[in-house]
Amino acid sequence: MRNDHYLFLTASAREPHVIGNTEWLAREAARHLPDDVAQTWIHLAQEPIPAFVDVRHTQGAYPAPEGRMADLLQATLDASHLVLVCPVYWFSLPTAV
């Protein structure tokens, strides 16, 4: 039994539930992983991720994440492999505005 757990974080500007070339390629690669390897797929555009504010120099520390953000943190910590599934648009990654 393997202890591998792949976390696939997809970031795309496409509409929800539309698989683009990048995700299709990642899913094709993941299809070749052994059957006993766990896979978790998270679409970041569908997550309620708040805007990031750097408070290191004012508050000095970040509060512990809550709710869905805590779930995302735990999924990241539980993974043995982190795969960023992100198309590159003109030398940058897609982001929600």
Side-chain angles (χ1 to χ4, degrees), residues 25-59:
L25 286 169
R27 288 190 178 277
E28 280 297 303
R31 191 170 61 87
H32 296 284
L33 291 172
D35 291 337
D36 61 345
V37 171
Q39 297 180 29
T40 301
W41 290 78
I42 297 176
H43 295 269
L44 295 176
Q46 298 172 7
E47 297 295 334
I49 299 174
F52 177 76
V53 177
D54 186 354
V55 298
R56 292 175 298 159
H57 303 291
T58 55
Q59 296 176 11

Side-chain angles (χ1 to χ4, degrees), residues 9-14 22 44-45 82-97:
L9 295 175
T10 67
S12 175
R14 291 190 182 262
T22 303
L44 295 176
L82 181 62
V83 182
L84 302 177
V85 183
C86 305
V88 177
Y89 299 113
W90 292 99
F91 307 103
S92 66
L93 301 177
T95 181
V97 178

